[in-house]
Amino acid sequence: MATPRPAAAAGTMRVCADPNNLPYSKKDGSGFENKIAEILADEMGAKLQYYWLPQRRGFMRETINAGRCDVVMGVPSAMRSLETTRPYYRSSYVFLQRKDEPTIRTYDDPALKKLKIGVQLIGEDGLNTPPVHDLGSRGIVENVEGYLVYGDTESKTPLSPVVDAVANGDVDVSIVWGPIAGYYAMHEPVPLKLTPVLIDPTQPVLQMAYGISVGTRHTDMDLYNDLSQALRERKDEIDAVLADYGVPRIDKSSISEK
């Protein structure tokens, strides 16, 4: 049975987070979700406290649903299992390439049948992300290389390989969730470019863009309201954090380059 949360007014904001998941979160507080959580806690006059657990299958069950924490940063706005705030950013998958390569903008670009493509896979069983489904529907399979979303937990940057592969020339283009691509592209030794994938008209049920929110339990409406108010009051600071971490936002520019 979940333990009751201490109200924000009582002085604690308990956040569930992965201890090694840059650019999102890290135990030393260096992820952009850590920075945004600090801003929200400050606005609510609460002490920020973490419950750390690698974000794998069962994360919600073991954390917020078990009462070990009360807030999850960076969840899809449409997530039904949590009460989600209005999105504090909206991003998309992107085509990630070296800056001097011809820009790919859609899944119907003929070049995708010839280029080596890096994609993200979810979990040890390699579940397909939306871009993998879109490529497969066009028969683009043999020239695709998979990189796990939840990579080597011993690595300092477990999410970087799909971006490193483009910089190193191991693949010609990767299709990557925007915040991961934007952050790691800034740290590569060669210039990279990001082109948003906004929709595939042949697969309308597969989303390429998502609003991202803060999540709480459905029963924690006081906390939900406090968080919603804090997001509104500190919007400019939150936007600045997202910009500092290279998060591509589809409500901003359509193409960003290093």
Side-chain angles (χ1 to χ4, degrees), residues 43-61:
E43 178 65 23
M44 296 191 300
K47 178 183 177 182
L48 181 59
Q49 183 180 94
Y50 281 99
Y51 180 80
W52 300 106
L53 188 73
Q55 194 165 348
R56 303 290 188 270
R57 186 173 294 165
F59 178 81
M60 296 297 178
R61 182 183 67 248

Side-chain angles (χ1 to χ4, degrees), residues 24-37:
Y24 304 109
S25 61
K26 199 171 177 69
K27 203 165 188 176
D28 64 4
S30 58
F32 74 79
E33 288 177 355
N34 299 125
K35 305 300 182 186
I36 294 172

Side-chain angles (χ1 to χ4, degrees), residues 122-159:
I122 300 174
E124 293 180 357
D125 46 5
L127 292 175
N128 290 344
T129 52
V132 179
H133 285 286
D134 282 313
L135 293 171
S137 71
R138 290 165 170 80
I140 303 172
V141 177
E142 297 299 324
N143 54 331
V144 173
E145 182 78 20
Y147 297 85
L148 290 179
V149 169
Y150 303 118
D152 180 5
T153 56
E154 299 301 315
S155 169
K156 292 182 179 179
T157 56
L159 303 186

